[in-house]
Amino acid sequence: MSGSRFRDRRERKYGYDFLDEVLVRCPRCDGCAIVTPHPGIAADENAVGAGVQPLHRRLRCTRCGFFKDQKVDSAVMGSPVDPYFQRPLWLRASCCGNTLWAYNLRHLDLLEAYVQAKLRERGELAPGAPTSLVERLPTWLKTAKNRTEILRTIKRLRSTVPAAG
C-alpha cells in the first residue's frame, strides 16, 4: 500500500460494508470465529437497516466447530464488540492508551490506509449525507505522532487472523 495519499470514499460511520463478516472470539474455545448473515435466510432479510425485519446471523468457529444462530432486531455498532452477539472482536488491541479495533480485515485495511497516508483527502459529500467513518475516527487515531505505533499494532492484529482454509 502506498503511504502517500488517502481519499475518503465516504463510507458511512461503521459502514454496513464492514458488517457482512465480523471476526470475534469464540465463546467456547476463545479462538477466532466469524459472524456472517445466516446462510439459509434470503439476502434481503439479512440486510442491515432493513427496517423492522430482524437480522439473522450465524456465529461459527472453524477451530472447535461451535455455531450459534441468532435473530436480532438491531445491530449496536461503534465499539470493540460484535454488533449482533455482543462477543469481543478478534481484531482488538491496546494502542496509544486506547483500544484499536476493526470488524474484519477490510475494516483494518481502511484504518491502515488512512493512518499511513501523509495526505488525507475528503471525498465529495452529498447534501444531508451522514458523516463518513473516517471523519468520525478518534483524534488519537488521526494524530501523526501515533502513526508508527498504530501501524505496528495493525500489523500485529493482521498476523493473528488464521489463514482461510
Side-chain angles (χ1 to χ4, degrees), residues 22-24 79-82 87-92 101-103:
V22 180
L23 301 176
V24 299
S79 68
V81 296
D82 153 58
R87 297 291 310 152
L89 295 178
W90 183 259
L91 297 171
R92 171 184 179 161
W101 58 270
Y103 289 123

Side-chain angles (χ1 to χ4, degrees), residues 86-153:
Q86 302 302 304
R87 297 291 310 152
L89 295 178
W90 183 259
L91 297 171
R92 171 184 179 161
S94 180
C95 180
C96 303
N98 296 281
T99 301
L100 175 67
W101 58 270
Y103 289 123
N104 54 42
L105 289 174
R106 284 190 322 275
H107 191 185
L108 198 63
D109 290 344
L110 176 78
L111 295 175
E112 181 179 46
Y114 179 81
V115 169
Q116 71 186 5
K118 303 281 193 274
L119 175 62
R120 299 169 180 166
E121 300 175 326
R122 289 184 177 180
E124 291 298 316
L125 179 62
T131 307
S132 77
L133 183 149
V134 167
E135 290 173 320
R136 302 289 298 221
L137 290 173
T139 302
W140 70 268
L141 202 68
K142 297 178 181 183
T143 305
K145 73 176 184 174
N146 294 332
R147 181 176 285 131
T148 302
E149 184 177 347
I150 293 168
L151 292 174
R152 186 176 21 244
T153 303

Side-chain angles (χ1 to χ4, degrees), residues 21-27 31-37 39 57-69 85 165:
E21 174 182 287
V22 180
L23 301 176
V24 299
R25 294 204 166 273
C26 175
C32 183
I34 186 169
V35 175
T36 59
R57 293 294 184 261
R58 172 168 285 175
L59 185 155
R60 65 181 166 79
C61 179
T62 56
R63 181 175 166 193
C64 73
F66 177 84
F67 83 93
K68 180 179 180 180
D69 293 334
F85 291 87

